[in-house]
Amino acid sequence: MGIKSFLAARRNKKKTAGDTPLKVSDYMTRNLVTFKSNQPIEEVINAIIKYRISGGPVVNDKDELIGVISEGDCIKEISESRYHNMPMSNHTVENYMIKNVETIDGNMNIFDAANKFLEAKRRRFPIVENGKLIGQISQKDILKAALSIKGSTWKK
């Protein structure tokens, strides 16, 4: 009698979401609406309404990230202008933008990025490479990424 193996033949294991390299850079937005620090707040408000965005990165002439301006920052400016009865026309982005901006690595897995969104309570993270702004990932981009993999990796 020969020896029988109790090991079953190995089958190709299906990849799971954890095995698939789902990088932030695969889902980030590259074509961004950006602002300059010397732009009037009114221009930012018009862009936010026109492009249906909640804010955007502020860059210098070398496309280096120097801040972020949001619709909340614009609302703050409107409130202060009204309180002090001052016109908005001479107020610029530089006075209202957030200067200490947290970025995210484009090579980060989208599931790790989702956790970062939850921890930081942010709506968007800019992606910087070699000092230059190359894109932005939003909570909506993370949701789109999750839906794109749902059909092939998540049980229905």
Side-chain angles (χ1 to χ4, degrees):
M1 263 183 119
I3 300 175
K4 290 187 177 180
S5 172
F6 291 100
L7 295 175
R10 290 189 181 191
R11 294 187 183 141
N12 287 341
K13 186 177 139 187
K14 267 191 162 181
K15 283 192 171 193
T16 64
D19 298 329
T20 308
L22 300 166
K23 296 190 306 185
V24 164
S25 60
D26 295 332
Y27 295 94
M28 72 183 186
T29 303
R30 293 177 188 274
N31 187 17
L32 300 174
V33 175
T34 61
F35 302 102
K36 299 289 186 184
S37 63
N38 62 349
Q39 256 183 292
I41 286 290
E42 281 188 74
E43 286 182 18
V44 175
I45 294 169
N46 285 326
I48 284 172
I49 293 166
K50 179 180 178 181
Y51 297 109
R52 297 179 179 193
I53 57 176
S54 61
V58 182
V59 295
N60 63 18
D61 293 334
K62 298 176 187 172
D63 286 328
E64 296 168 330
L65 181 69
I66 60 170
V68 170
I69 186 93
S70 70
E71 57 195 352
D73 300 323
C74 294
I75 289 171
K76 181 179 176 187
E77 194 281 334
I78 290 168
S79 177
E80 288 177 5
S81 292
R82 176 124 170 110
Y83 180 78
H84 297 291
N85 199 23
M86 301 286 289
M88 288 191 323
S89 59
N90 58 355
H91 295 171
T92 61
V93 169
E94 185 173 29
N95 299 326
Y96 295 93
M97 70 182 189
I98 296 167
K99 295 175 182 156
N100 187 10
V101 181
E102 192 173 355
T103 62
I104 200 168
D105 185 346
N107 292 316
M108 181 182 278
N109 179 292
I110 62 152
F111 297 106
D112 294 333
N115 284 329
K116 191 162 172 104
F117 273 107
L118 293 172
E119 292 167 3
K121 295 184 176 23
R122 301 258 189 269
R123 293 176 76 166
R124 72 189 75 74
F125 283 105
I127 293 102
V128 175
E129 191 174 281
N130 298 323
K132 308 269 187 211
L133 177 70
I134 62 162
Q136 177 174 279
I137 189 92
S138 69
Q139 290 182 356
K140 195 175 293 184
D141 295 325
I142 298 294
L143 295 175
K144 287 177 187 175
L147 283 180
S148 74
I149 61 168
K150 179 182 179 266
S152 63
T153 58
W154 290 353
K155 293 186 180 185
K156 295 179 182 180

